[in-house]
Amino acid sequence: MYRYDEFDATMVAERAAQFRGQVARRLSGELSEDEFKPLRLMNGLYLQLHAYMLRVAIPYGTFSSRQMRRLAHAARKYDKGYGHFTTRQNIQYNWPALVDVPDLLDDLAEVEMHAIQTSGNCIRNVTSDQYAGAAADEVEDPRPWCEIIRQWSTFHPEFSFLPRKFKIAVTASDNDRAAVRVHDIGLRLHKNEAGETGFEVIVGGGLGRTPYVGHTIRDFLPKEHLLSYLEAVLRVYNLEGRRDNMYKARIKILVNAEGADHFREMVEEEWAQVNQPGIDLPREEVDRIHDYFEAPAFETLPANSTTLEERRATNREFARWLRVNTVAHKAPGYAIVNISLKPIGGIPGDISDTQMEAVADLAEQFSFDEIRATHEQNLVLPHIRKDDLYGVWAALKAAGLATANIGLVSDIIACPGLDYCTLANTRSIPIAQRISERLADLDEQEALGELKVKISGCINACGHHHVGHIGILGVDKKGEEFYQVTLGGSAAEDASIGEIVGRGLSSGDVVDAVEKLVEFYKKERKDGERFLDVYRRLGADPFKEALYEAA
Amino acid sequence: MKAITANALQDGAVVYLGDDDQWTPHLSSAARFEDGDAKDVLAAACSRIEEITEAYLISVDDSGAIIGRETIRETIRKGGPTVRLDLGLQAESCG
Ligand code: HEM
Ligand code: SF4
């Protein structure tokens, strides 16, 4: 894992000290809220309905048990005993007092954590595949490149006040688990015919008010040119992006206004002019960063574990969890374990302090001290020996963390919505809870297969509803909560934006609606077809009919 | 009628301007103003920047109950998240 060098440590400590001074000046009234707000936002501190909210970065989703324990400590000491994992591999605290935030940030800084790049119009925390460095299907570990981007982008003087926030995601697998096609820039590491690895560069994706799937502006960028090419894209955006209108300021608007081809030309022209050798890292530096991500010392193990197979054969519940929540690892005898933060009827992404500690203990003992946060608001133990899976499962179960629903209908992404968020039209979490309870039966869920439900409480789309197989968007109708359903979205390699199907529904009706859609899918599906496949085959109309018939 | 609400500066907690001109967490203790007067009172409240942030008006009826199109939002602010009844003011009142 990446460890801070002196430079990082100083930077984070200085930033925490600076913010401590700013908080003191705000509390004394020396700073007005108008003066203070941009400063607190630069430090990840928002004001929600009931309290402040602090967003803490987990760069590219990788963290250690020591860091997780510190997050648990912070939840206990400064919050109300829990935290909330978001869709951007961050964790949010919902209740810290402003007066405590400087101490909280100091506590985090001790374990190399901070809230930098979690808000404001800068290049945000880079996100990645939660299975990076472990997945059997990746071409190489994408995280060294994420770290290179992090170092380049943190406090980049030219890109600290962009027209709007800017999000970059990196994947190294054909199975896109990082939603690279709906980011401002998505990067996909892949191999060309010569067997070299390089980046596909995808630009102008995004959700929110005007959702777009990004455009590929380069099929293959040699890795060593990553930073100069990113710099060229950012420069074009910084210069040409619209600062006059917040709703038109994201790069997706620029790319779509110019057309992808013209935008590509603009970038290539800029790239020819930027000082490539001055920006691209020298080979030794690239190697030095790669060294931090050297694979853990995996044991040489047989591909299969007999103890595991015995347990699988005799314990149905464990067998289900293996099928649903574990994934193939690149090292023989190991598996990747997903930890669902979506218990049936629970709050998506929430985790208590004691659960955090349980996960930290397991990671330390069984997973080379590594934990991952996923953009679907779950956690991952990336490197578990197959022999240890049963023990890990039992411990997760004891901690209430063994729900076997990864990728299934109850593995719902939901934004905080009106239960916490000042911008919300409607609540999101209760809808997620009711859908999850309505379709609680895990046999039934597994039989339905992959089905992604995503819920946002307003058009900002923090809950990614546009890319849900079933998306739900909260809309306000004269002070009442209504929900609009979209169908056919996807955030994966087959990315698409969902289509709105008809009028808004009440909170009760929207839960019924999901059930109707599921029933219709079951009736229509052919062998192996997912919900999304059936939708794409049949189109919107029959689904609409099923949804609104005799409603 | 109107009441004035804000978030306390120190901890962000929801507060209302009370009859005694102090901030209170209880809407039931909030002062009520005629619509015409409310703007001036709000301007005065907003200047108390060492105490609160983000002050604004909410609509209430004669008995002090929240009304109008922000009813759901203001009810959640007043009590706490509807998905965590153990948190916020609602946790204290239902005991
Ligand atoms: C409760 C406090 C929050 C506030 C005030 C907030 C605010 C916003 C706003 C204003 C936007 C739109 C920005 C734009 O389009 O340029 C946005 C986007 C986004 N938010 Fe949040 N958010 C909050 C919480 C969350 C949480 C908890 C998550 C994850 C579960 C999240 C994930 C996202 C994502 C992924 C986007 C990007 C959508 C896109 O690609 O355009 N946010 N948020
Ligand atoms: S989608 Fe809207 S309601 Fe949900 S967290 Fe984002 S800003 Fe708040």
Side-chain angles (χ1 to χ4, degrees), chain A residues 46-48 53 55 84-90 92 94 121 124 164-165 167 182-184 205-210 246-247 249-250 252 348 375 377 413-417 420-423 458-464 466:
Chain A
Y46 291 73
L47 185 66
Q48 297 197 109
M53 178 273 275
R55 188 179 285 164
H84 176 77
F85 281 98
T86 80
T87 46
R88 300 214 70 257
Q89 299 179 317
N90 296 318
Q92 293 186 178
N94 287 305
N121 294 336
R124 297 290 186 88
R164 211 64 182 84
K165 57 178 161 183
K167 298 177 181 177
V182 287
H183 277 75
D184 295 288
L207 306 174
R209 194 169 294 266
T210 8
M246 187 176 101
Y247 299 120
R250 298 281 298 255
K252 60 191 175 186
H375 91 271
Q377 302 183 282
I413 293 183
C415 81
Y420 293 97
C421 176
T422 47
L423 305 174
C458 82
I459 196 63
N460 284 324
C462 301
H464 290 189
H466 298 294

Side-chain angles (χ1 to χ4, degrees), chain A residues 26 28-29 33 47 49-52 80 82 95 97-99 347 418-419 422 427 429-430 433 476 478-479 481, chain B residues 7-14 49-50 52-54 69-70 72-73 76-77 79-84 87-88:
Chain A
R26 176 67 188 95
S28 73
E33 188 63 22
L47 185 66
L49 291 182
H50 317 283
Y52 292 94
K80 295 186 187 287
Y82 70 106
W95 305 89
L98 179 60
V99 287
I347 299 177
L418 195 50
D419 282 298
T422 47
R427 283 171 286 176
I429 298 167
Q433 291 177 308
D476 169 84
K478 300 197 183 91
E481 295 173 295
Chain B
N7 291 87
L9 179 63
Q10 294 225 347
D11 62 2
V14 175
I49 64 164
E50 291 155 54
I52 50 96
T53 181
E54 307 274 330
R69 55 177 303 152
E70 300 299 339
I72 302 175
R73 174 190 155 100
I76 293 171
R77 272 184 86 241
T82 64
V83 292
R84 287 293 303 262
L87 301 179

Side-chain angles (χ1 to χ4, degrees), chain B residues 6-66:
Chain B
N7 291 87
L9 179 63
Q10 294 225 347
D11 62 2
V14 175
V15 291
Y16 305 92
L17 188 64
D19 276 322
D20 56 359
D21 210 32
Q22 299 300 306
W23 298 102
T24 165
H26 302 286
L27 179 60
S28 53
S29 315
R32 291 189 288 282
F33 305 96
E34 293 303 333
D35 290 7
D37 305 334
K39 264 209 175 122
D40 292 341
V41 192
L42 176 64
C46 283
S47 69
R48 294 163 69 166
I49 64 164
E50 291 155 54
E51 299 169 10
I52 50 96
T53 181
E54 307 274 330
Y56 61 92
L57 299 173
I58 56 172
S59 298
V60 290
D61 67 14
D62 292 346
S63 70
I66 299 163

Side-chain angles (χ1 to χ4, degrees), chain A residues 307-327 335-338 386 389-394 397 402-406 408 442-443 446:
Chain A
T307 52
L308 171 66
E309 294 315 323
E310 280 164 28
R311 295 286 192 180
R312 188 204 298 272
T314 52
N315 185 326
R316 205 172 152 262
E317 196 185 350
F318 174 59
R320 181 212 308 284
W321 178 83
L322 284 177
R323 278 194 309 275
V324 178
N325 285 28
T326 67
V327 177
I336 300 171
V337 164
N338 280 286
K386 287 186 175 170
L389 281 170
Y390 184 80
V392 167
W393 171 73
K397 190 166 144 71
T403 312
N405 63 348
I406 295 294
L408 305 182
L442 287 173
D443 288 329
E446 209 185 333

